[in-house]
Amino acid sequence: MSSHKRNLKKNTNHLKQNENHQIKICRFLGFFRPETQFYNRRFIKDNGTSPHRNRFFKLLSEYKRVDSGGRYMNNIGGPVPDKEIFIKNYKFNIAFENSMYDGYTTEKILEPMLVNSLPIYWGNKLVGADFNPQSFINASDFSSLEAAVEYVVRVDQNDEEYLSILSTPWLNKENYLNWENRVYDFFDNIFSKPITEARRLADYGRVKIYRKRLNLYSSLDVMKRKLRDLHHKIK
């Protein structure tokens, strides 16, 4: 078994074990926190990689301070060495993907779940196929980011509603048990199509940087071919 599969099974088992104790744990945390804390972890230096996350961070900061523990817009004195240890002290976690694309779900929603910090998610529109939509706040469900912030404020001010969301099981149990078959089907669906149909890239996020590099490399290849042709003609 590959290391990736072992890690995924380990995380899945961790989630199943946590679900059994989640109500008791979150009730303790919910009532004993002296004040609401929001956490936004950013590993990306380029402000353009996730405009929606940056805007949401600023909107939510108008309500209460949002700690940013990554390198970008850091406001806690420097990047934190261990994200999981750090975010366990926070009531909410901004878990925005770098890009919105069907099927693209990363560790961002999983990390806060593992430490009972409520994820405020944005990204994969199909995230509900894997994670219980009632167990996190999905910013995409609202008409605007402003509306999403209003809902977060309401949940923050209502302990009963907050604990109800946090105590909801994270996973759709009928889905994660057959994850291996789903992974195989996913890649089979890609490789069985012509490359023009299989190639799917978003218009922003890290993909924007990737596109620029592709264009740069393509331009360099064209220049190299022209130089070779010119060299042969001179000879």
Side-chain angles (χ1 to χ4, degrees):
M1 183 183 293
S2 69
S3 60
H4 294 293
K5 289 183 178 179
R6 283 197 298 269
N7 290 335
L8 182 53
K9 283 194 171 182
K10 179 181 178 182
N11 286 338
T12 302
N13 290 333
H14 190 113
L15 283 171
K16 288 189 287 186
Q17 292 169 5
N18 273 10
E19 282 186 8
N20 296 330
H21 306 286
Q22 194 176 358
I23 294 179
K24 181 163 57 178
I25 292 172
C26 75
R27 286 190 183 278
F28 174 82
L29 295 177
F31 287 110
F32 284 84
R33 281 178 177 143
E35 60 181 344
T36 300
Q37 295 174 322
F38 293 93
Y39 173 67
N40 179 44
R41 176 64 187 260
R42 296 201 177 132
F43 295 95
I44 310 302
K45 295 180 181 179
D46 180 7
N47 185 31
T49 56
S50 185
H52 291 82
R53 181 172 56 200
N54 298 339
R55 184 163 172 265
F56 186 84
F57 171 78
K58 293 176 181 178
L59 287 171
L60 190 58
S61 295
E62 295 176 4
Y63 165 61
K64 282 186 178 179
R65 173 188 168 90
V66 181
D67 287 349
S68 181
R71 291 181 176 84
Y72 178 69
M73 290 182 67
N74 184 279
N75 59 5
I76 59 169
V80 298
D82 190 309
K83 179 180 179 180
E84 186 171 333
I85 291 176
F86 189 73
I87 66 174
K88 69 181 182 180
N89 297 314
Y90 288 81
K91 189 175 180 181
F92 296 88
N93 179 265
I94 298 178
F96 277 40
E97 305 286 6
N98 294 329
S99 303
M100 175 182 281
Y101 210 90
D102 291 353
Y104 176 69
T105 305
T106 69
E107 78 289 346
K108 290 181 176 61
I109 190 173
L110 184 63
E111 289 172 330
M113 285 179 169
L114 291 174
V115 294
N116 289 293
S117 177
L118 185 59
I120 306 171
Y121 183 78
W122 178 91
N124 179 15
K125 293 180 181 179
L126 305 178
V127 66
D130 298 306
F131 294 96
N132 187 342
Q134 305 303 317
S135 67
F136 60 95
I137 298 174
N138 191 343
S140 300
D141 290 342
F142 300 88
S143 59
S144 65
L145 291 181
E146 287 83 358
V149 168
E150 289 180 6
Y151 178 72
V152 172
V153 172
R154 190 186 86 185
V155 172
D156 176 44
Q157 296 174 350
N158 187 324
D159 286 340
E160 185 176 348
E161 187 170 5
Y162 171 79
L163 292 172
S164 175
I165 300 172
L166 196 65
S167 62
T168 301
W170 300 308
L171 299 173
N172 295 323
K173 294 182 179 180
E174 68 276 10
N175 286 329
Y176 68 77
L177 293 178
N178 67 337
W179 64 269
E180 289 179 313
N181 292 332
R182 296 177 64 216
V183 169
Y184 296 145
D185 291 342
F186 173 77
F187 284 107
D188 182 64
N189 182 54
I190 294 175
F191 295 128
S192 62
K193 293 180 178 179
I195 190 170
T196 53
E197 296 181 23
R199 181 183 295 163
R200 296 178 293 178
L201 295 175
D203 295 325
Y204 52 87
R206 300 298 295 178
V207 177
K208 183 170 68 174
I209 299 174
Y210 174 67
R211 285 181 183 275
K212 288 181 179 179
R213 289 176 179 171
L214 277 181
N215 293 333
L216 175 61
Y217 295 148
S218 298
S219 300
L220 290 175
D221 287 338
V222 172
M223 291 177 62
K224 287 179 181 178
R225 286 196 298 271
K226 289 184 177 180
L227 287 173
R228 281 197 299 267
D229 293 341
L230 180 61
H231 180 69
H232 290 314
K233 288 180 180 179
I234 294 175
K235 282 187 173 182

